[in-house]
Amino acid sequence: PFASLICKSLPIEFFLQTCSIVLNTLPNVVILVSYGPSDASKAAAFVEQLGHGAILTPPTSIGVVAALIKRCH
């Protein structure tokens, strides 16, 4: 939900609602929230607002995130 320009980002409520629907529909799903260097506090707040089923990833590179996504089922 975070982007360098506001015009490139959808409202956070959209992502919260979408993630809530996914978590309520698919109870075995875990949502991983990764973020850029300047978005750590926003990502942590997002995970806190979402509650159950969301995990904040540690700081990492885009290459590691890509590898993680490749291994997701």
Side-chain angles (χ1 to χ4, degrees):
F2 316 113
S4 57
L5 298 173
I6 194 73
C7 64
K8 292 169 53 177
S9 181
L10 292 170
I12 193 78
E13 294 78 20
F14 171 82
F15 292 97
L16 288 169
Q17 183 178 22
T18 302
C19 290
S20 292
I21 291 168
V22 169
L23 291 171
N24 290 327
T25 305
L26 304 167
N28 294 329
V29 167
V30 175
I31 295 175
L32 299 177
V33 179
S34 61
Y35 52 91
S38 63
D39 297 320
S41 62
K42 292 178 190 174
F46 178 80
V47 168
E48 185 176 329
Q49 287 179 345
L50 192 55
H52 75 284
I55 298 173
L56 186 65
T57 65
T60 189
S61 69
I62 193 69
V64 171
V65 172
L68 178 63
I69 291 170
K70 191 173 184 178
R71 290 176 174 83
C72 289
H73 304 228

